[in-house]
Amino acid sequence: MLLFLRRRTLTSLLPLLFVLIGVFVLARLTGNPTSLYLPESATPEQRHVFAATHGFNNPIWQQLLDYLKGIPHLDFGTSLRTGETAASMALRAFPNTLQLAVATMVLSIVIAVVLGSWAAYRPNSLADGISSVLSMTAGSVPDFWFAIMGVWIFAVILGVLPTSGVDNGLLSWVLPVATLAVRPVGVLTQVVRGAMVSALSAPYVRLARSKGATDVRLVTHHALRNAAAPALTVAGDLAVGLVNGAVVVETIFGWPGIGKLMIDSIVGRDFAVLQACVLLTALSIFVLNILIDLGYALLDARVRETVKA
Amino acid sequence: MGSACGVSSGSSSSADNVRIVLQNEPPTLEPCDSSNTGDGVVERSNITQPLMELDLSNGKLSPLLATAWKKTSPTTYTFTMRKGVKFSDGSTFDAKDAAYSIDRTVNNTKLGCFVDGYVFGDEKVQVKAVDANTLTVSTAKPDPILPLRLSFVEIVPTSTSDTAKVREPVGTGPYKIKSWDAGQKLTLEANPDYWGPAPAYKTATYVWRSEGTVRAAMVKDGEADIATQIGPDDGAGDLAVQFPDDQTVALRSQGYIAPLNDIRVREAINYAIDRNGIVKSLFNSESTVAAQLVPKGITGYNDTIKPWPTDVAKAKQLIGQAKAAGVPVTTPITLYARTAQFPKIAEIVQVVQKELSNVGLNVKIQMVDTTRSNELQQRPFPKGIGPYLLVIQHGNQAGDAAFSVDQYMLSDGFQSAFGTPALDKLIKSAEAKSGPARQQAFEKVFAYEPTHVNQFAYIAHMTGMMAIAKDVHYQPDVNTENEMHLAAMSPAK
């Protein structure tokens, strides 16, 4: 297992480095933030001092080297906008995104397993219809539309939920989580349904049925375990997408997470904060992928053997 | 509050607290940046105060931390400080603090203050606290609007750093910062040491949401009392309030690059645009068609100038004449606009592009963000990108035409693509005048520019819109977009 972790870490380092360098270079191609942070009347000397203080005068390779050198010491630079360290801003926002992603995934998996199993057990039932509609909607309607419609219907017309923010306890979570969950629920329900249909027609399930196992026991004890592996892979990919893609939902709902911070940093050419956000997101995706692999190994003996090897 | 909703915003809805939702979180509340970074609306005259306060509706200065001021020599003004004023940290305000604040904002080379750039330009001042209650401020040359410029300097105690910008300032205003949960909300509380009448609300809570629809919904839903910067389509319904604004929208030509370097082409652009149509269909009905860079109420506004008429035939004729004279009128021109700069900007540039294409110009649209827009708008202008038109939105929160024409019309103005020596002379002469002579001189500038230089195609003077809950009394005015005074708000009777 340790060997697996080591190998996985090493193979992930290269893409991680590629992402960091890519973001670093692309950010600087968007222009020098000096014009955004200094007044119109700033003298050439003031501009020079500002650029020199923040390293913008150095060749890009040297700026990159300085940035990479700081990473082991958790020194990601200082925010141009607020003067705070980029690390503290990113670390403050990250748990908010993580909580949102975890809540969304837990809810999505529960709904998808129930709906998918029901649909597989009773083809052409109501559950089958709901899952088809959800997966089609998930594939064709953008997040921001759900978000705005959610605000309009549940906050303005019905007045049962807050429009946005994080101050209303559990109620604050409903609209962001519901918006984020549409896609995972739609996709996962279809995956669970497909896997369950195969599992329910497998010989070992037929044997269990012939031995008198109840319907509920057939689904929960026999079929679900085998159907879980493909669903877990897809769920992992969706979770990665959530951490990465909470940008729209966080921006609309004023959720103080890493996605919103990233957008604010891009608009404000706050390179240090943007880089810290990207690094944190990339790291979390890396950890998430390892967890998915480990979870997959726990569920599938064949994978377990590969991991051991 | 506004609706029968059971959801609270986390800050209790009561007669003691007013809840305001802004578009963006202020990055800092550094007083010397309060003219640019969007923090002025939270900070100015709430947390910190200037010596005098400008009323943009009549252009007059009223006393605040200074009770009186007068010109004591051609280059010096003397100010009398208000007595009995304390900062929110308990220290006493006197002329030393005022001198320190002016020096920190205007003469400091380390901070790079936006107020310095916007209001003072290259001008430096000599400032001296004669005694605890008397302050003198001198300039190298006579400056007839020095008190107006100084009204943009927020006063801070001498304990404030002059080498680093501050995020949470100490001031003399009716409120002080209670807490700032970065990313979530900012709460102000009434300053118990305030020298003036106590404000009606004991606390004020600011939150920020980027979507106008969400901001409007928060007021409708009872989660906020005031939502700023909303558009006519954001759904605020009868809670939406319109008010005059100091902003003017125009197209600016990069007039030294062909074909925009030919005045016939620039005139054709002016004739091609249907301003009435744009204002009527795209803005709310009270926005007015613009004929000059500043709106009514600004010193120098010329009420005799008529908006450029729409005349497609004339525009085509001018393009034809230019073409016959060898001007490359079919060269692609880029029409740049800043994404989300104001409501419906995307629709406006599409209309303008179509109108300009109709008269024979080859115009393509490019939407850009703030940084790119700044690069296109400010010297040194980017090279090698061909001719371009830029949608600008200029606000003159200082109330005097000098703050507009200096940067937008001088040949070497910071945001001016070109000009003429004759126009430069007119502007410099106007800036040295005061009183009615100043008004008349700037009127001449605004009348001269379109016929002799024609850098701009003015479109509209904007109006602002905000949503205000029924149980809050607040009357927004032309100053509101720059500074929103909490002391002017109270529970509706």
Side-chain angles (χ1 to χ4, degrees), chain A residues 131-144:
Chain A
S131 72
S132 299
V133 169
L134 266 177
S135 58
M136 271 190 354
T137 315
S140 54
V141 181
D143 288 350
F144 72 84

Side-chain angles (χ1 to χ4, degrees), chain A residues 40-41 155 163-165 168 269, chain B residues 8 117 209 218 221 223 369 414:
Chain A
E40 295 158 2
S41 69
T163 59
S164 53
N168 284 285
R269 294 295 191 277
Chain B
S8 84
R209 303 286 182 264
M218 286 179 75
D221 198 30
E223 291 178 51
D369 71 356
F414 194 71

